[in-house]
Amino acid sequence: MSNSHFVRTQMLPPQKPPVGETGVIKWMRENLFSNWFNTLLTFLGLWAVYALVSGSAPWFLNGVWTASSVDECRAIIAASAGEGASGACWAMINERWHQFMFGFFDREEYWRPLLAFGLLFVALSPVLYFNLRRPTMIMTAGAGVVLVMLLWAVGTDGWHLSLAAVLMAALAALAWVAPKKLLWVTLAFPATAFFLLWGGSVWAPIGVMLGFGIAVLVWRSLVSVIGVSPAAGVAALTALIWWGFVQGHVTGFLANALPFFSLPAEDSDRFGGFLLSFVIGVSAISASLPIGILLALGRRSDMFLIKTLSVGFIEFVRGVPLITMLFTASLLLQYFLPPQTNFDLILRVIILVSLFASAYIAEVIRGGLAALPRGQQEAADSLGLDYWQAQRLIIMPQALKVAIPGIVSSFIGLFKDTTLVALVGLADPLQGVTKVVKADIAWKAAYWEPFIFVGAIFFIFCFSMSRYSMYLEQKLKTDHR
Amino acid sequence: MANAAKMQVTDEVAIQITAMNKWYGQFHVLRDINMTVNRGERIVVCGPSGSGKSTLIRCINRLEEHQAGTIMVDGTELTSDLKNIDKVRSEVGMVFQHFNLFPHLTILENLTLAPIWVRKTPKREAEETAMYFLEKVKIPEQALKYPGQLSGGQQQRVAIARSLCMKPRIMLFDEPTSALDPEMIKEVLDTMISLAEDGMTMICVTHEMGFAQAVANRVVFMDQGQIVEQNEPKEFFANPKSERTKLFLSQILGH
């Protein structure tokens, strides 16, 4: 019966799928017990998880938080859980946590790095959340609450505690009223953090920031006259002259004339633990992204010299281990600098770690650039946008979006690599501080506890970065596939 | 169908191409191109693929560099001088085969970007202009969507509106309908026809011979990087002179 003539008179409405094809049962049947082999693997997996948890749980559960030495920990564990029972000796962390956090920073001054840490999140909030009112406010207020709790926990005096509380409340209010204004906090953050951490006269960091301000002014007044690149060159030169020859006199004079605002100076060799990791990590992360962008653009440039320099820099830096760079920072750099220049070791390390990271970031961004269709550049050109406008408004937003996972991976790697500074004698939290703590005969026998503690803190921050990058990818998704 | 009264061709020269040659490495893509376009002219460029027609119009706003001869656009000669290039580009609109909208920006932002950054128009005014041109291409309701949410035909109309927002004096179309589904070709062609009726100077690379017959006042046929034949559309289609043109027409009109 052949019937080639057919006309549908009614379109079919959508129907529900069969009952057995949805829900938990279906998922388990498909994913865990689809055949005998997978069933076997499921049970093997369950057994492995059980073995791991039952093996390590007593060690965590028997943990002792208050004791004065590892031997005392063991005695307490033996008394409570029976002879031969294993257990963690968290008392070590409980007693020495401040060294893991702040290194050898003056205990009276703990409020300073903590306030800088709180302000870091305030400074980040408008950047991370595009000036959106709600998340910016939540992040600022959250940072404020955590900061006050931390300050209270380290026993800050009432005056500094209330000062910090009022400041953070004001910033949270500002975030609610005018989230865009918080960008000024972001701009002022490097100098503020420097002043809080290293102390000394307030005029020195202000002088450094003024250098940037002068550069921006020069650039703005020249850019329409002589074009983007020459204006940037002149601006950079002016700033260098200011920093090199003028700033010292001006800030020295101001420090003498107006000696009101100053904090007790803290030397770089007092920095250690997570304080050190954060100073190096945050500085290097924020410096390596712009440098990486410029290197990636340089590598794609038509101009032979710029292209060669970029390629040479990237390939050289990527070809050399980070540890070589760190040794360069600590030993070799002194030979090239004029004698009597006291160039801070942490600063040297920050510069070389930034350069190291920027080479990797540049390659990640180049991957993002390569993913863009050529038509985007052509469309920007055909509308009359100049090179820098096209890069800033069209190319980079899209390339960076593609490169987010790679960039964040680089950042996470960089943050964890800050522990390598132990090799040049800085007290990183993992090796440097642990060594110092274990030099005390009371804690010599502890082994796992410091690693687990430090590892957990690294995990919290690295995992947060990773979650943020996923939020960002979701947020920037406009292709609606 | 097209409103002939408005479609006046003037004596003023918009584009003057003289003895222009271009090579890709050793390959001679454009050979001795001479062409004058008057203001208000609507020119359709056709030819087999690889004949250099896209390259030709991409030279007019210097997306491609020519190596010999001169191109004058609105009295400005295209050389390696970046100032001249930017000036010409802001006067010449271009519509691409693959639309090339900016996927990370909304339709409205796509339209206002260049006026704000290149022309320094205030944002408010740029948005008003953008809405005016979105009305003109008949999709004002899509202003706040992203390009990825629009159909191909709608995207191409947005691309046309984006170029128009710069108030160009010349429009270049590089196979604007080749990447579209048949259902959507008409809406884009209608937009282009209404643009022609407004007196826009247009150069259009296309295989839509119906469009050529309706609005073009000159058809240029290219092959192997040179202009083989140009004529009024009626003559061109009814009476092609060269063998190459005859063969081409028989192939694209033959079925």
Side-chain angles (χ1 to χ4, degrees), chain A residues 376 378 381-382 392-393 478, chain B residues 58 89 101-104 117:
Chain A
Q376 291 292 309
E378 287 176 354
D381 286 345
S382 77
R392 188 156 78 85
L393 302 166
T478 56
Chain B
R58 287 159 61 87
R89 282 175 178 170
L101 294 178
F102 306 131
H104 62 303
W117 288 92

Side-chain angles (χ1 to χ4, degrees), chain A residues 225 374-376 378-386 389 392-394 397-398 401 478-480, chain B residues 58 61 63 86 89 92 94 96 100-104 113-114 117-118 120 146 148-149 162 166:
Chain A
V225 189
R374 223 174 59 146
Q376 291 292 309
E378 287 176 354
D381 286 345
S382 77
L383 287 169
L385 294 169
D386 66 31
Q389 286 172 338
R392 188 156 78 85
L393 302 166
I394 308 300
Q398 297 183 59
K401 189 182 102 181
T478 56
D479 52 358
H480 304 276
Chain B
R58 287 159 61 87
N61 66 351
L63 288 183
D86 284 341
R89 282 175 178 170
V92 178
M94 184 159 201
F96 298 88
N100 294 356
L101 294 178
F102 306 131
H104 62 303
L113 184 102
W117 288 92
V118 179
K120 313 288 179 206
Y146 285 96
Q149 291 165 287
R162 178 175 70 178
M166 286 294 280

